[in-house]
Amino acid sequence: MAVSARQSPLVQFLRRAWNPLAFAQAVTLGILGMVLTLSIVSFDSLTLRDYLFPFAVAGYVYWRNGILNQQELDTEDGGGAEQEVKDRKCPRLGGRSVEYTNGSVLPPFSSGTPSKPIWSVLFVFSTTCKHSRSNFYGFVSAAQNFVGGGCSFLALTRDCKEDTEQFVESVVSGGGASGRVKARGFEKISVGVDVNGDVIKKLQRQFKVDTVPHCYVVKNGVVEWDGHPSSLESTLALMVGFWEN
């Protein structure tokens, strides 16, 4: 999915207020309300109040079964905003979970401060996936363009270290001069192997993603955006503009 760097309160409310089951219930009861009205009052005798009655029924049902129920759930789990941040928290990448094949610095997937946020970009890929290869160049290009703005970049895979090193070598040297030009700025990123696959599994389960390649933009340890790498540079451009203003 592609979500913006930061959603307005109205957008957040609409996303949380949408409830397909409550909508279906509201529409069903609204139709029944109209049928009931027409069974009592002839069509020629309908007043504005008679027309509004089914809509009022539908609106109340949706409010009671959808919005109010969501608010009650938010109260039980500690609040919607806090719970959403918790759900989007990036798994820890330290310790022995990641083994590096390129780059020696672990990107700081951790907490910063509101005035000095720590931003990191995670690119999950597979060495055997042709789409990972084609999008890898775009990831490197994004690193070249945005690492100067304080972003750090990590490409992460579950494949073994040997396969990953061969993949990295082929990406850097592949395609002759064209390939080397595409991979220019490769020194701006780190490449790592998710030793036990735990980090990638947690991310995929957490964000309901089971395909690669996939990107995550992390601010202060919280995933602000996730989506296909083809949208990474344009997304970062919007987000960097927001950060600087």
mmCIF file of all heavy atoms in Angstrom, residues 5 26 33 45 116 124 126 167 180 199 211:
data_model
loop_
_atom_site.group_PDB
_atom_site.id
_atom_site.type_symbol
_atom_site.label_atom_id
_atom_site.label_comp_id
_atom_site.label_asym_id
_atom_site.label_seq_id
_atom_site.Cartn_x
_atom_site.Cartn_y
_atom_site.Cartn_z
ATOM 1 N N ALA A 5 3.209 10.655 3.725
ATOM 2 C CA ALA A 5 4.094 10.766 4.869
ATOM 3 C C ALA A 5 3.327 11.105 6.130
ATOM 4 O O ALA A 5 3.632 10.611 7.205
ATOM 5 C CB ALA A 5 5.148 11.847 4.604
ATOM 6 N N ALA A 26 -26.340 -0.680 7.653
ATOM 7 C CA ALA A 26 -27.050 0.600 7.541
ATOM 8 C C ALA A 26 -27.869 0.665 6.258
ATOM 9 O O ALA A 26 -29.023 1.105 6.269
ATOM 10 C CB ALA A 26 -26.029 1.744 7.596
ATOM 11 N N GLY A 33 -36.443 0.588 6.024
ATOM 12 C CA GLY A 33 -37.169 1.760 6.506
ATOM 13 C C GLY A 33 -37.991 2.404 5.406
ATOM 14 O O GLY A 33 -39.134 2.830 5.624
ATOM 15 N N SER A 45 -48.394 10.972 -0.882
ATOM 16 C CA SER A 45 -48.566 11.667 0.399
ATOM 17 C C SER A 45 -47.251 11.815 1.172
ATOM 18 O O SER A 45 -47.257 12.313 2.307
ATOM 19 C CB SER A 45 -49.579 10.912 1.268
ATOM 20 O OG SER A 45 -50.816 10.772 0.588
ATOM 21 N N LYS A 116 14.855 16.788 15.798
ATOM 22 C CA LYS A 116 15.929 16.127 15.061
ATOM 23 C C LYS A 116 15.562 14.657 14.850
ATOM 24 O O LYS A 116 16.113 13.766 15.490
ATOM 25 C CB LYS A 116 17.252 16.239 15.811
ATOM 26 C CG LYS A 116 17.794 17.658 15.898
ATOM 27 C CD LYS A 116 19.148 17.684 16.588
ATOM 28 C CE LYS A 116 19.715 19.098 16.619
ATOM 29 N NZ LYS A 116 21.041 19.142 17.282
ATOM 30 N N VAL A 124 13.524 -4.271 1.217
ATOM 31 C CA VAL A 124 13.504 -5.726 1.369
ATOM 32 C C VAL A 124 13.472 -6.352 -0.023
ATOM 33 O O VAL A 124 12.609 -6.018 -0.832
ATOM 34 C CB VAL A 124 12.282 -6.179 2.192
ATOM 35 C CG1 VAL A 124 12.238 -7.702 2.282
ATOM 36 C CG2 VAL A 124 12.331 -5.573 3.592
ATOM 37 N N SER A 126 14.971 -9.899 -2.760
ATOM 38 C CA SER A 126 15.440 -11.273 -2.912
ATOM 39 C C SER A 126 16.450 -11.315 -4.039
ATOM 40 O O SER A 126 16.261 -10.669 -5.080
ATOM 41 C CB SER A 126 14.273 -12.216 -3.211
ATOM 42 O OG SER A 126 14.754 -13.501 -3.587
ATOM 43 N N PHE A 167 25.023 -11.276 -5.751
ATOM 44 C CA PHE A 167 24.001 -10.366 -6.274
ATOM 45 C C PHE A 167 24.532 -8.940 -6.292
ATOM 46 O O PHE A 167 24.389 -8.226 -7.289
ATOM 47 C CB PHE A 167 22.748 -10.460 -5.397
ATOM 48 C CG PHE A 167 21.668 -9.475 -5.753
ATOM 49 C CD1 PHE A 167 20.741 -9.759 -6.744
ATOM 50 C CD2 PHE A 167 21.562 -8.257 -5.081
ATOM 51 C CE1 PHE A 167 19.740 -8.854 -7.070
ATOM 52 C CE2 PHE A 167 20.566 -7.352 -5.400
ATOM 53 C CZ PHE A 167 19.657 -7.656 -6.399
ATOM 54 N N ARG A 180 27.171 0.224 -14.332
ATOM 55 C CA ARG A 180 27.971 0.930 -13.339
ATOM 56 C C ARG A 180 27.437 2.334 -13.087
ATOM 57 O O ARG A 180 27.468 2.838 -11.976
ATOM 58 C CB ARG A 180 29.430 0.977 -13.792
ATOM 59 C CG ARG A 180 30.138 -0.371 -13.669
ATOM 60 C CD ARG A 180 31.635 -0.225 -13.883
ATOM 61 N NE ARG A 180 31.965 0.068 -15.287
ATOM 62 C CZ ARG A 180 32.126 -0.867 -16.217
ATOM 63 N NH1 ARG A 180 31.984 -2.141 -15.894
ATOM 64 N NH2 ARG A 180 32.425 -0.544 -17.462
ATOM 65 N N VAL A 199 13.384 -10.527 11.134
ATOM 66 C CA VAL A 199 13.034 -9.120 10.919
ATOM 67 C C VAL A 199 12.064 -8.978 9.752
ATOM 68 O O VAL A 199 11.037 -8.309 9.853
ATOM 69 C CB VAL A 199 14.308 -8.280 10.665
ATOM 70 C CG1 VAL A 199 13.920 -6.842 10.293
ATOM 71 C CG2 VAL A 199 15.205 -8.289 11.891
ATOM 72 N N THR A 211 5.232 -10.044 -0.571
ATOM 73 C CA THR A 211 5.966 -9.994 -1.830
ATOM 74 C C THR A 211 7.202 -9.113 -1.691
ATOM 75 O O THR A 211 7.282 -8.263 -0.790
ATOM 76 C CB THR A 211 5.092 -9.443 -2.963
ATOM 77 O OG1 THR A 211 4.636 -8.121 -2.598
ATOM 78 C CG2 THR A 211 3.900 -10.339 -3.219
#
